[in-house]
Amino acid sequence: MTEHEIGHDSAIMHPTQETSKPSTAKLEPHAAMAKKRTEEAHKVYGRGQKINTRRVKDKKLRGSLRSLENKYRDATTKAQDAEILLENDAGFLQPERELEKTYKIRQDQIKEDATIETAKKGFELKLTELGPYVFDYTRNGRDLLLGGRRGHVATMDWRSGKLGCELNLNESVRDVKWLHNNQMFAVAQRKNVYIYDRAGVEIHKLQKHVDVTHMEFLPFYLLLATIGNAGYLKYTDISTGQTITELPTKKGAPTTFALNPYNAICHVGHQNGSVSLWSPNSTSPLVKLLAHRGPVRALAMDREGRYMVSTGQDLRMAVWDIRNFKEVGNYSMRQPGSSIAISDRGLVSVGCGTSVTVWKDIFTRFKDGEREVRFPYMNWGGEGNTISRVRWCPFEDVLGASHDKGFSSILVPGAGEPNFDALELNPYETVKQRQEVEIKGLLNKLQPEMISLDPNFIGNVDLAPAEQRKREMEADEAPEEIVARLKNKSKGKNSALGRYMRKRNTKNIIDAKRLRIQEVIQQQRKKAEHRGKQQAEEFGPALARFAWKNS
């Protein structure tokens, strides 16, 4: 269309205005709609607050930050536009009448109304001699790993029922864990942790991991985290075989161990009812939380890293908002919960005793003013099998439950994520696709130093000047560290602090560091005087002159 045609059309629509103004009037609603769409996309797919580039003085840095913000904005807009491709929806059980309850529906009733392929996903494996069992799904939900307490280990493609490998280790098995894909898995045996390949061949022995009871795998860091009866949390890089760090929890044998999938922080439950949060970058726990009045039995975190669910020996199930570490829900139980799992859609499964209970909307109900959910979503059990572990199968409406008589696959409508990203996790990947994903994972492996409570700190710019950061570090430094550093620099019998002050010769200059050093000197003098008075009283009047008079 030519400029003459555009002006002619606009003159027909607005005869009283000039030809240049109607084009501007047409762009205003479009710009407003684009702005509104960008704000909505940022609320759903955004990554925190925007960087204020006006405060950045460096011209080159300011330009790179602006281009980065533009990429973030385009990415959020494209993610929202891609919602039209999400064809599948998650469907839950809906009661037809008010008195009808969904937790009374049995598995055989669900299988009758479901399709043939869906009904096949509900099955049972009767393994009565080598239990109780623990198990684990791969990240794409395709393969299943089983481990019996008496040494039985098996892998299988649970959809087709094809057995991968089967081992009888003649040694107690405490935990099993898939690694980055279905080609390797780790088994915590009585003495050490062993790594096997898909065919069941032992390929590595972790000799430093002794008497391990719990294991977790960090997929984006390729780290295997283990903890045992000695209370040492150990991280091992499976790509290089090196031990990253060993952290003593100083709380004895742990009762439970779980991984936050959002920020890769390990949560450890202890006998005294506390939960401690650990990362390989700190020798002390990042957070200590008193969750129960007795030993903590099970922990689980949701996919977005916002909520934590814990069960304890005090017959309580607590829901915590781990963004501010406050309790938002509390439920009573008949028996202590032995295992907890949270699905991709927010369903919480709790295994306690011989039954499994599934809860719905416990993360959103308290926002509407209601503190607790009155009734569970589904129930399963009653056959007398003691539940040892429950886990959700990724991208499927299937809940796995292992017990002392084998393994059971339970159908739970609405539990799985119906739309998955095949470039991230593909349940139907081929061999070549798996190999490409493995190579990309090695190339894009994150470093352990990037693990933090807030993973969004990466890429942010600290706009404070260097002098201000130095003053803040000196103000936060403990007096004991100041004394140790100055004593290491000084020699002789003279006071290290006094000689440092004389050497500085800054009597007329007062700063934060000088005030803290003076405060340390006063504290040392008071301690010396108090020590001398105590010794003078102990020695008596005849020997008081031998008491200490200087520190």
Side-chain angles (χ1 to χ4, degrees):
M1 184 179 291
T2 63
E3 295 181 357
H4 177 72
E5 292 174 347
I6 294 175
H8 180 70
D9 292 340
S10 61
I12 294 174
M13 296 176 62
H14 303 280
T16 61
Q17 297 180 358
E18 297 180 0
T19 57
S20 60
K21 290 184 178 180
S23 59
T24 307
K26 285 183 178 180
L27 291 175
E28 288 181 355
H30 177 71
M33 186 180 298
K35 183 179 180 181
K36 182 179 179 181
R37 187 164 63 94
T38 304
E39 293 176 354
E40 293 177 354
H42 182 73
K43 291 180 180 178
V44 180
Y45 300 100
R47 296 187 178 183
Q49 297 180 354
K50 299 180 180 179
I51 300 175
N52 189 2
T53 57
R54 295 181 180 179
R55 297 181 180 180
V56 181
K57 297 181 180 180
D58 192 342
K59 185 177 180 181
K60 184 177 180 181
L61 179 60
R62 183 169 62 249
S64 61
L65 290 177
R66 284 180 179 175
S67 63
L68 186 63
E69 287 296 327
N70 293 334
K71 290 180 181 179
Y72 284 160
R73 185 180 67 252
D74 296 341
T76 55
T77 306
K78 291 179 181 179
Q80 188 183 31
D81 295 341
E83 290 181 353
I84 194 174
L85 302 176
L86 305 181
E87 301 177 354
N88 301 320
D89 296 328
F92 294 97
L93 294 176
Q94 299 293 339
E96 296 180 355
R97 296 179 297 274
E98 294 182 359
L99 298 179
E100 186 178 5
K101 303 299 180 182
T102 57
Y103 63 85
K104 295 183 179 180
I105 299 178
R106 301 186 304 272
Q107 285 292 304
D108 54 355
Q109 296 176 342
I110 296 176
K111 292 179 181 179
E112 289 178 359
D113 296 334
T115 61
I116 298 177
E117 293 297 327
T118 304
K120 290 181 180 179
K121 297 177 181 178
F123 60 90
E124 289 192 10
L125 298 177
K126 294 184 179 180
L127 307 169
T128 59
E129 297 181 357
L130 302 175
Y133 277 83
V134 292
F135 71 100
D136 186 34
Y137 288 107
T138 53
R139 294 184 63 222
N140 58 7
R142 187 170 182 174
D143 291 88
L144 175 67
L145 172 63
L146 290 170
R149 182 66 57 84
R150 301 180 183 178
H152 179 229
V153 177
T155 63
M156 62 178 296
D157 186 347
W158 65 272
R159 289 191 182 93
S160 61
K162 184 178 179 180
L163 182 65
C165 70
E166 190 171 10
L167 304 174
N168 194 353
L169 303 176
N170 294 324
E171 191 177 15
S172 60
V173 174
R174 295 170 179 172
D175 199 2
V176 293
K177 195 69 181 177
W178 285 109
L179 299 184
H180 57 288
N181 54 21
N182 61 351
Q183 298 299 305
M184 289 194 300
F185 59 91
V187 180
Q189 299 177 205
R190 185 173 62 89
K191 291 184 178 181
N192 301 100
V193 176
Y194 295 83
I195 296 179
Y196 299 88
D197 64 355
R198 184 175 177 83
V201 179
E202 179 186 333
I203 59 177
H204 196 59
K205 175 183 178 181
L206 304 179
Q207 295 184 353
K208 293 185 178 181
H209 297 253
V210 181
D211 202 11
V212 171
T213 57
H214 302 84
M215 294 189 301
E216 289 290 345
F217 182 70
L218 286 63
F220 301 106
Y221 303 86
L222 297 181
L223 295 179
L224 178 64
T226 64
I227 191 169
N229 291 325
Y232 277 82
L233 177 59
K234 302 179 182 180
Y235 290 87
T236 300
D237 191 340
I238 66 165
S239 61
T240 60
Q242 297 179 353
T243 300
I244 303 300
T245 183
E246 297 182 7
L247 305 174
T249 59
K250 301 179 182 179
K251 294 290 183 65
T255 55
T256 182
F257 187 56
L259 176 69
N260 191 338
Y262 175 69
N263 52 14
I265 296 294
C266 293
H267 295 228
V268 183
H270 303 286
Q271 295 283 349
N272 58 357
S274 64
V275 177
S276 57
L277 280 61
W278 295 85
S279 77
N281 305 318
S282 176
T283 57
S284 60
L286 303 177
V287 177
K288 292 181 181 180
L289 177 67
L290 184 60
H292 295 276
R293 297 181 179 179
V296 182
R297 290 304 175 194
L299 291 172
M301 280 66 65
D302 67 333
R303 183 175 60 175
E304 298 178 352
R306 298 178 180 178
Y307 300 100
M308 178 183 73
V309 183
S310 63
T311 59
Q313 196 68 26
D314 55 354
L315 304 181
R316 306 294 296 179
M317 181 179 73
V319 182
W320 299 85
D321 188 344
I322 54 179
R323 292 170 293 182
N324 51 15
F325 302 102
K326 290 184 179 180
E327 183 178 324
V328 296
N330 204 314
Y331 299 84
S332 60
M333 306 178 69
R334 296 182 179 180
Q335 294 182 359
S338 58
S339 181
I340 302 178
I342 302 177
S343 72
D344 294 335
R345 304 293 295 179
L347 296 184
V348 180
S349 62
V350 184
C352 54
T354 60
S355 64
V356 177
T357 307
V358 180
W359 297 85
K360 178 186 174 186
D361 296 334
I362 67 172
F363 301 141
T364 57
R365 183 62 60 90
F366 68 90
K367 296 180 181 179
D368 302 332
E370 300 182 16
R371 294 289 296 176
E372 297 180 358
V373 181
R374 297 182 60 187
F375 301 104
Y377 176 61
M378 285 189 66
N379 274 335
W380 180 86
E383 299 180 358
N385 300 328
T386 303
I387 304 297
S388 58
R389 177 174 291 183
V390 291
R391 290 290 184 271
W392 294 99
C393 181
F395 312 118
E396 293 285 352
D397 294 343
V398 172
L399 173 65
S402 61
H403 41 78
D404 55 350
K405 297 297 179 62
F407 174 81
S408 299
S409 182
I410 309 167
L411 298 179
V412 182
E417 177 63 42
N419 303 290
F420 57 88
D421 187 0
L423 298 178
E424 176 68 19
L425 294 172
N426 188 6
Y428 308 101
E429 65 183 2
T430 61
V431 176
K432 189 173 182 179
Q433 289 175 342
R434 175 183 55 77
Q435 293 173 351
E436 292 179 355
V437 170
E438 187 173 3
I439 294 173
K440 290 180 180 179
L442 289 171
L443 295 175
N444 300 327
K445 183 182 72 169
L446 302 179
Q447 296 300 319
E449 291 79 11
M450 304 173 70
I451 298 177
S452 175
L453 282 175
D454 183 14
N456 295 323
F457 82 98
I458 301 174
N460 294 337
V461 179
D462 191 359
L463 302 178
E467 297 179 356
Q468 181 180 351
R469 293 197 298 268
K470 186 177 180 180
R471 288 196 300 267
E472 292 176 355
M473 292 175 62
E474 291 177 352
D476 295 338
E477 193 174 9
E480 294 79 5
E481 297 177 359
I482 297 175
V483 175
R485 188 177 68 252
L486 293 177
K487 284 187 176 181
N488 290 332
K489 291 183 178 180
S490 306
K491 296 180 181 179
K493 298 182 179 179
N494 194 7
S495 173
L497 292 175
R499 187 164 61 257
Y500 174 77
M501 296 296 292
R502 291 194 302 270
K503 185 176 180 181
R504 293 286 293 179
N505 194 17
T506 55
K507 295 182 179 180
N508 297 326
I509 299 176
I510 298 176
D511 56 357
K513 187 174 182 180
R514 180 183 176 87
L515 293 176
R516 291 185 66 83
I517 292 174
Q518 290 179 351
E519 184 181 354
V520 172
I521 293 174
Q522 293 295 334
Q523 292 178 359
Q524 288 185 351
R525 288 177 180 174
K526 289 181 180 179
K527 288 182 180 179
E529 292 176 0
H530 183 66
R531 190 187 308 166
K533 290 179 181 180
Q534 287 183 347
Q535 289 187 355
E537 293 177 359
E538 293 177 359
F539 294 166
L543 301 176
R545 57 181 178 174
F546 297 105
W548 284 1
K549 295 181 181 180
N550 294 322
S551 58

